[in-house]
Amino acid sequence: MQLDRVKAVISGGASGLGLATATRLAAAGGQVALLDVQDEPGRKAAAKVGAAASYHRCDVTSEADVDAAVRAAAERMGGLNVSVSCAGVATPGKLLGKDGPLPVAAFQRVLAINTLGTFLLDRAAAAIMQNNAPGEDGERGLLIHTASVAAFEGQIGQVAYATSKAAVAGMVLPLARELARFGIRVVGVAPGIFGTPMMAGLPQDAQDSLGRQVPFPPRLGRPEEYAELVAAIVTNRMLNGETIRIDGAIRMAPK
């Protein structure tokens, strides 16, 4: 798929990885719809990206919200051929913490946003993409999941987050196999330690310390680097059914 033909919905599009992806795709001539629950930042982000972008309020844990936002985005763009799931939270919590066992509601919230949210966006987007006219090699669409290195090396205190991201990665291959008959690819991206709004809440010395743990380059990843990988996935049809690490060769320690 050529970048200037992209018509993409991006959850978590108001900031971080999602906004960087929207900016990259729009700069290449594509159209993008930013899905988020942050109305003012979302509208400002869409305005900053430019005329090729729109903002749509969407709670990714709500089937009705996701279906409505994806339909509205597809109508505005005159179609839909890419979805990128970037909405996510990384709420920490030990199974047995100092205040007792991890609340079930806290665990469920992380899974609802990270895992269910990815599934709902896939579901709504694929339902539209299956009817696209086939392009080269019969391609009709692309679903991109944002997993994490925590899916493979979850640290102490990350039981909910690691579980949610392992599930996001685990959906990639079965969906790629299922949707192959429609010419819809499914690819995962597993970022390492990136400079996102989640990370911005930490003191600068803590961020610098985390960056130095990366073998090379010894720094936090940049959202623009995630976006460049998304662009590469869009244009390379042989990338399918795999979750790609983008982590500077880091392997997370237990804590």
Side-chain angles (χ1 to χ4, degrees):
M1 190 185 306
Q2 298 302 311
L3 292 175
D4 61 0
R5 297 181 182 178
V6 163
K7 298 175 180 181
V9 291
I10 304 168
S11 68
S15 62
L17 303 180
L19 179 54
T21 299
T23 302
R24 175 67 178 88
L25 296 178
Q31 298 183 65
V32 294
L34 283 57
L35 278 52
D36 215 302
V37 292
Q38 305 177 77
D39 288 338
E40 184 174 356
R43 285 189 288 265
K44 288 182 177 178
K48 183 178 180 181
V49 173
S54 60
Y55 168 71
H56 305 264
R57 180 174 176 79
C58 178
D59 175 355
V60 295
T61 70
S62 165
E63 177 183 345
D65 263 26
V66 174
D67 287 350
V70 170
R71 283 196 302 267
E75 288 174 8
R76 179 190 178 278
M77 296 185 292
L80 175 67
N81 52 20
V82 175
S83 76
V84 187
S85 295
C86 290
V89 294
T91 309
K94 294 181 180 179
L95 183 69
L96 299 176
K98 61 182 180 180
D99 297 322
L102 180 69
V104 172
F107 185 85
Q108 290 176 325
R109 177 177 178 271
V110 174
L111 266 66
I113 295 172
N114 296 359
T115 307
L116 178 62
T118 298
F119 169 80
L120 290 177
L121 188 61
D122 284 348
R123 177 178 175 274
I128 294 173
M129 292 177 188
Q130 67 176 328
N131 298 313
N132 288 346
E136 196 167 352
D137 287 329
E139 184 178 34
R140 287 185 171 89
L142 167 64
L143 311 176
I144 296 181
H145 292 188
T146 303
S148 166
V149 296
F152 315 106
E153 297 125 35
Q155 296 185 292
I156 293 170
Q158 286 187 335
V159 61
Y161 182 68
T163 299
S164 72
K165 292 301 188 177
V168 166
M171 287 192 284
V172 168
L173 183 57
L175 285 180
R177 288 171 164 173
E178 175 189 342
L179 299 177
R181 67 192 179 101
F182 298 111
I184 298 173
R185 293 187 289 131
V186 186
V187 180
V189 177
I193 307 174
F194 268 65
T196 65
M198 287 185 191
M199 189 65 62
L202 295 178
Q204 188 60 51
D205 59 345
Q207 295 184 44
D208 294 342
S209 175
L210 286 169
R212 287 192 292 270
Q213 295 177 29
V214 181
F216 187 83
R219 58 168 172 79
L220 299 180
R222 297 171 182 142
E224 294 77 15
E225 291 167 322
Y226 171 95
E228 284 298 334
L229 179 53
V230 168
I233 293 168
V234 168
T235 59
N236 190 333
R237 288 184 297 280
M238 281 302 289
L239 291 174
N240 192 17
E242 181 59 278
T243 295
I244 304 167
R245 294 179 68 125
I246 177 168
D247 60 16
I250 197 169
R251 297 296 181 269
M252 303 300 292
K255 59 181 179 178

